[in-house]
Amino acid sequence: MLFLKLSGVSFIYAISLFLQVELFVNQYRIEKYFDLGDLGGTISWVNFLIFIMTTIICYYFTHRLFFEKKVKYVLSILWIPIFVSFIKIFANAYPITDQNDTPLPGIGLLVLLYIMAYPVYIIFINVIVSLRSKKQMK
């Protein structure tokens, strides 16, 4: 049962990062295929909303499911295989057929930095849950 709880919260973390990265990387494809104008600002706002909603949802589930358990820190690693699976499935389902749709090289570096900072974000949420749970215990 604990594994299912961990997998569920990890799934939420992975889908959040996946949506944010894919919106960021495929901005030009979205603009081209849906015949929309410049979506830079809109995608930034959507990514911000996804980030805020995921933070609230993951805080709630982590607090509810792993109240005082140290196993919640495993979440900072467990999201990685799910995220890689999402990326592989998306790349196979929607391959880049037009060479003009390839993202710029700088975007890859930004995505790598974001992925490296993501475990720190997850640990930050877990620390906040731990501090709040200790405060409630007193």
Side-chain angles (χ1 to χ4, degrees), residues 9-17 58 62 75 79 118 122 125:
V9 177
S10 296
F11 178 83
I12 295 171
Y13 280 124
I15 196 76
S16 168
L17 182 64
C58 287
T62 304
L75 291 171
W79 64 273
Y118 205 64
I122 295 171
I125 290 176

Side-chain angles (χ1 to χ4, degrees), residues 45-83:
W45 278 106
V46 170
N47 278 343
F48 180 71
L49 288 175
I50 290 171
F51 178 77
I52 295 297
M53 287 175 25
T54 305
T55 303
I56 294 169
I57 291 169
C58 287
Y59 173 81
Y60 173 76
F61 281 127
T62 304
H63 180 69
R64 178 127 192 223
L65 299 175
F66 311 113
F67 187 66
E68 270 294 315
K69 298 177 184 170
K70 300 274 188 217
V71 75
K72 66 183 162 225
Y73 293 103
V74 175
L75 291 171
S76 61
I77 298 171
L78 221 91
W79 64 273
I80 296 172
I82 301 169
F83 176 73

Side-chain angles (χ1 to χ4, degrees), residues 21 106-118:
V21 166
I107 291 178
L109 181 63
L110 291 174
V111 169
L112 282 175
L113 291 173
Y114 194 56
I115 289 172
M116 287 190 300
Y118 205 64

